[in-house]
Amino acid sequence: MRNLFLFIKQFYPLFLFLFLEIIAFILISGSNAYHHTTFVNSSHKVTGVFYEKQDNITEYFELKQVNEVLEAENAMLRNKISRFKTLADSGKVDTVGKVVYEFWPANVINHTTQKKYNYFTLDKGKKDGMVEGMGVIDSKGIVGMVTNVSNNYSVGLSMLNNNARTSVKHKKSGAIGLMRWTGNDVLTHYVEDITKTAKVVIGDTMVTSGYSTFYPEGIAVGIVTKSELREGSNFYDIEVRLTSNILSLEKVYVVNHHDKIELDSLENIPE
Amino acid sequence: MTFKYTLNNLLVLIVVLLLQIFVFNNVNVYNLGFPMIYPLVILLIPVKQPAYWVMLAAFFTGLILDFFTNSGGLHAASLTAMAFARILVINKLEPQANYGKDDRPGIVKFGLQWTVIYFSILILVHHFFYFLVEESSVRHFGEVLLKTGISGILSFILMIALNAFIFRS
């Protein structure tokens, strides 16, 4: 017994080291899971307040650029409205239809781009109606999805995250594929499962498929930068460049699907 | 004296963490250089501090960073590994005259050569562990080594500069 105590006394740093490492690795494995349900995240009050303060200062430096983007978006929306108006007047569109998707504006107060698993923090939380699993887009394309929500803040999984999987559609042919990111190049995403009948060429647009409740159908995702048909394969190897401004996020929109809970439970998506 | 001492340590901790979170976390040199200065907090703990104290301090300092960067326990794991390596390095580097009770690692107390060896070994341990666990595979081992080297050099220069000019004692 005495020997045991002596043994423990002599080697306790090693045991403590192993113990702490085990805890750390449990936390790491929790954070790498797709739904990111770990306690260690920046949606907490303290971290949120820090990042909000920082954003309040740095916001000013990007004000001009942000304004230009918003102006361009305004112009585009104006065009769309006028087009719909003419259509509605001629009776071709059913304007009584139910609204399924809503877009809520939000500010990105912190985000990373240089890691393998990147996240962003938004200044909207539970009190603004945010829930986990909402999609996030900016004026040019998709950005990510919300994974953690606290009272005042929420954290989202960026498209630049090794765990991000997005169902995309080839705009021209309607072929469905799966987009992922390997963690190396911020300009390159990979799309799999698009069949060779789709005829994908460089410059084509990929949009969201609308098969999930994260994003509505037809939101821009990326532009094809490389499209190869390997010999003997029925599927394209496609490289895509995101259209969204993922490297400097400022103003984004959160996508709220009205029947999200009903649909998710119906399709039995594990939360 | 002890109160002032604790207050100083706390101040160093806060300044280093703020610098890391708001300045150096935003630095990215060609996707290979990510300077990390927060190991300085653990490197500067006096040499005679008990091992459990150093490792717990490392674990929780790392955890604070993990909260800010959404990295689970990545910083905590790598900083604890560095704290463990610190015990061995300090034993190996013990000068002939033995360590004094409150001796704090740094240029002022132990000179440039000792400090450079001590800093560079432990920074390499920390950075290598960090990038290896972040990649969590050996497929891109070359990239892990490259990141360790380039980020390590940046961190080393920054930490030596901070140690020489700001946190002297």
Side-chain angles (χ1 to χ4, degrees), chain A residues 160-215:
Chain A
L160 301 179
N161 189 308
N162 199 230
N163 284 325
R165 303 275 184 280
T166 315
S167 171
V168 297
K169 189 167 79 175
H170 182 226
K171 200 177 177 184
K172 265 193 224 153
S173 67
I176 303 293
L178 190 68
M179 187 178 75
R180 56 163 91 223
W181 189 61
T182 55
N184 299 323
D185 183 2
V186 291
L187 295 179
T188 312
H189 283 62
Y190 296 91
V191 177
E192 301 162 350
D193 296 350
I194 292 206
T195 52
K196 63 178 174 188
T197 53
K199 305 264 180 309
V200 182
V201 293
I202 293 171
D204 279 2
T205 312
M206 291 287 172
V207 296
T208 50
S209 67
Y211 283 4
S212 66
T213 54
F214 304 143
Y215 315 104

Side-chain angles (χ1 to χ4, degrees), chain A residues 12-21 23-25 27-28 31-32 36 38-44 46-48 50-51 54 110-117 119-121 155-156 182-186, chain B residues 18 21-28 31 34 50-53 55-56 59 63-64 66-82 84 87 129-130 133-137 140 143 147:
Chain A
Y12 89 86
L14 184 64
F15 293 130
L16 182 63
F17 167 65
L18 292 175
F19 175 69
L20 292 177
E21 288 295 340
I23 298 178
F25 275 95
L27 291 173
I28 292 173
S31 75
N32 281 359
H36 189 58
T38 171
F39 175 71
V40 185
N41 70 67
S42 64
S43 76
H44 291 289
V46 179
T47 48
F50 265 109
Y51 278 136
Q54 186 197 21
N110 177 50
H111 73 119
T112 60
T113 55
Q114 73 264 49
K115 289 191 234 155
K116 198 177 170 186
Y117 300 95
Y119 295 93
F120 52 84
T121 313
V155 167
T182 55
N184 299 323
D185 183 2
V186 291
Chain B
L18 286 179
I21 291 165
F22 293 119
V23 181
F24 293 114
N25 272 355
N26 299 320
V27 176
N28 174 359
N31 262 326
F34 308 108
Y52 72 88
W53 200 96
M55 278 199 277
L56 286 175
F59 182 78
L63 209 57
I64 293 175
D66 285 321
F67 270 105
F68 276 96
T69 55
N70 290 308
S71 44
L74 190 55
H75 291 288
S78 42
L79 202 58
T80 312
M82 194 200 78
F84 184 66
I87 304 168
F129 202 92
Y130 177 90
V133 176
E134 187 192 29
E135 193 59 47
S136 62
S137 81
H140 305 287
E143 198 180 318
K147 277 182 181 173

Side-chain angles (χ1 to χ4, degrees), chain A residues 81-121:
Chain A
I81 289 173
S82 65
R83 216 166 52 228
F84 277 123
K85 222 177 194 162
T86 46
L87 279 175
D89 289 345
S90 60
K92 277 177 192 153
V93 172
D94 176 18
T95 50
V96 198
K98 191 174 152 200
V99 180
V100 183
Y101 286 102
E102 240 183 338
F103 300 95
W104 299 340
N107 289 319
V108 176
I109 55 173
N110 177 50
H111 73 119
T112 60
T113 55
Q114 73 264 49
K115 289 191 234 155
K116 198 177 170 186
Y117 300 95
N118 291 299
Y119 295 93
F120 52 84
T121 313

